[in-house]
């Protein structure tokens, strides 16, 4: 059986001294005469959970889409382990170790939970188009091991279409991990989930980050999730990076307070965005 888990990683606090896995410099993108992302730069280390936040229209989605090749950057560099990603197609970037989960999770509803993960393993092994190969016959033990990691082993043989949305999100995470990513991009990972489910999913993500040494960049509107689980936070506004640092620094940052609230309030006073 092929091993699907990574070796244990250093703790998040130690990751700051690790060489960056992802290095973004001078990143820019314009649409017509409108600049959506302007001179954005940040690093991300293995085993680190980095949150990307900002008000609507800040450039978060555009930045995400450039990182995985759905949009081509007009300016700047995106280097993964020293390999330039700008100009590469999404599938090439995926093959280099960049995975992604989406705001709206989707699975093959007619397949079982474990077959959904087996389909991802077929794709990873470049055997998705082998018509003789049934998903149910491919690396079932590895798929079950991934489901064990996300707490879904007991539901392996249930149809994916009958699951609660929080469980679908866990399957989506297992599917992303089937490709053994070095960098995982999570777009609104807790959207549509109840508060308890949100924190449980991010605690699970934290554990997997620590165990596998994966670097995670995530966007999130729920500030309680961001400040409870991120190692660092970067903040965009009108396409520009206005702040980055530890949660405590961002919580008290005057420019961030101004952008979100238009006042001197800190996060946690009243309703967060």
């Amino acid at each position: 059986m092929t091993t699907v888990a990574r070796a244990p990683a250093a703790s998040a606090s130690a990751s700051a001294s690790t060489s960056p896995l992802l290095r973004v410099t001078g990143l820019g993108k314009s649409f017509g005469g409108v600049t959506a992302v302007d001179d954005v730069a940040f690093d991300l280390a293995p085993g680190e959970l980095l949150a990307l936040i900002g008000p609507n229209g800040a450039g978060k989605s555009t930045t995400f889409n450039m990182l995985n090749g759905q949009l081509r950057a007009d300016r700047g560099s995106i280097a993964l382990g020293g390999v330039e990603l700008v100009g590469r197609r999404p599938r090439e970037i995926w093959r280099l170790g960049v995975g992604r989960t989406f705001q709206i999770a989707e699975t093959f509803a007619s397949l079982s939970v474990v077959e959904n993960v087996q389909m991802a393993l077929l794709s990873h092994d470049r055997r998705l188009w082998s018509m003789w190969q049934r998903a149910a016959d491919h690396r079932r033990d590895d798929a079950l091991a991934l489901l064990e990691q996300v707490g879904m082993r007991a539901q392996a043989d249930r149809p994916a279409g009958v699951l609660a949305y929080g469980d679908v999100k866990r399957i989506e995470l297992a599917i992303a991990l089937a490709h053994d990513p070095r960098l995982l991009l999570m777009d609104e990972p807790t959207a549509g989930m109840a508060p308890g489910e949100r924190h449980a999913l991010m605690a699970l993500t934290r554990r997997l980050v620590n165990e596998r040494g994966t670097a995670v960049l995530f966007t999130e509107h729920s500030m309680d999730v961001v400040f409870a689980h991120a190692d660092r936070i970067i903040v965009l506004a009108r396409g520009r990076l206005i702040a980055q640092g530890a949660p405590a620094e961002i919580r008290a940052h005057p420019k961030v307070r101004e952008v979100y609230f238009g006042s001197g309030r800190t996060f946690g006073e009243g309703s967060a965005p």
Side-chain angles (χ1 to χ4, degrees):
M1 182 180 73
T2 305
T3 301
V4 294
R6 292 182 182 274
S11 65
S13 61
S15 68
S17 61
T18 305
S19 297
L21 171 67
L22 178 70
R23 175 157 284 166
V24 176
T25 54
L27 193 64
K29 181 68 180 178
S30 299
F31 299 96
V34 178
T35 299
V37 174
D38 186 12
D39 197 28
V40 168
F42 61 90
D43 292 343
L44 177 57
E48 186 177 24
L49 210 61
L50 177 64
L52 171 61
I53 67 171
N56 291 336
K60 302 185 299 297
S61 295
T62 301
T63 299
F64 247 54
N65 289 334
M66 286 189 286
L67 291 176
N68 82 330
Q70 288 183 298
L71 288 174
R72 178 164 183 162
D74 295 332
R75 302 170 295 281
S77 170
I78 303 168
L80 181 74
V83 176
E84 182 59 57
L85 301 186
V86 173
R88 296 180 184 270
R89 294 174 298 176
R91 190 164 186 83
E92 291 181 85
I93 293 173
W94 172 69
R95 286 289 180 196
L96 288 169
V98 179
R100 182 168 179 176
T101 67
F102 292 86
Q103 182 175 350
I104 300 175
E106 292 186 0
T107 58
F108 294 101
S110 62
L111 298 181
S112 70
V113 169
V114 69
E115 285 171 341
N116 270 272
V117 182
Q118 287 174 287
M119 285 289 288
L121 290 170
L122 275 169
S123 177
H124 177 72
D125 296 340
R126 305 186 187 216
R127 298 176 65 177
L128 193 59
W129 305 113
S130 298
M131 300 305 293
W132 56 268
Q133 176 77 63
R134 293 177 60 244
D137 298 328
H138 187 73
R139 292 177 62 184
R140 180 179 169 89
D141 288 345
D142 287 343
L144 291 173
L146 284 163
L147 290 174
E148 181 73 33
Q149 289 183 34
V150 300
M152 289 293 293
R153 173 64 178 83
Q155 302 194 61
D157 294 311
R158 294 188 68 196
V162 304
L163 297 179
Y165 189 64
D167 289 337
V168 173
K169 285 280 194 175
R170 287 174 177 262
I171 298 172
E172 185 189 36
L173 182 56
I175 288 170
L177 294 176
H179 298 295
D180 202 24
R182 293 187 288 165
L183 168 64
L184 181 59
L185 307 174
M186 302 180 75
D187 188 7
E188 298 285 346
T190 71
M193 302 177 73
E197 290 180 317
R198 294 202 303 261
H199 288 287
L201 181 68
M202 293 310 295
L204 169 63
T205 302
R206 157 62 63 206
R207 178 173 61 79
L208 293 173
V209 163
N210 288 344
E211 290 175 355
R212 301 169 68 97
T214 307
V216 173
L217 175 68
F218 71 101
T219 64
E220 183 58 60
H221 279 295
S222 299
M223 293 298 105
D224 59 328
V225 170
V226 170
F227 285 98
H229 300 283
D231 295 315
R232 288 189 300 121
I233 302 170
I234 54 179
V235 188
L236 294 182
R238 297 183 179 180
R240 296 189 65 86
L241 184 66
I242 62 169
Q244 59 180 311
E249 296 174 287
I250 299 301
R251 187 184 295 275
H253 196 288
K255 186 65 174 177
V256 176
R257 296 202 306 266
E258 178 186 345
V259 164
Y260 270 108
F261 299 118
S263 71
R265 286 191 299 160
T266 60
F267 285 102
E269 296 178 337
S271 298

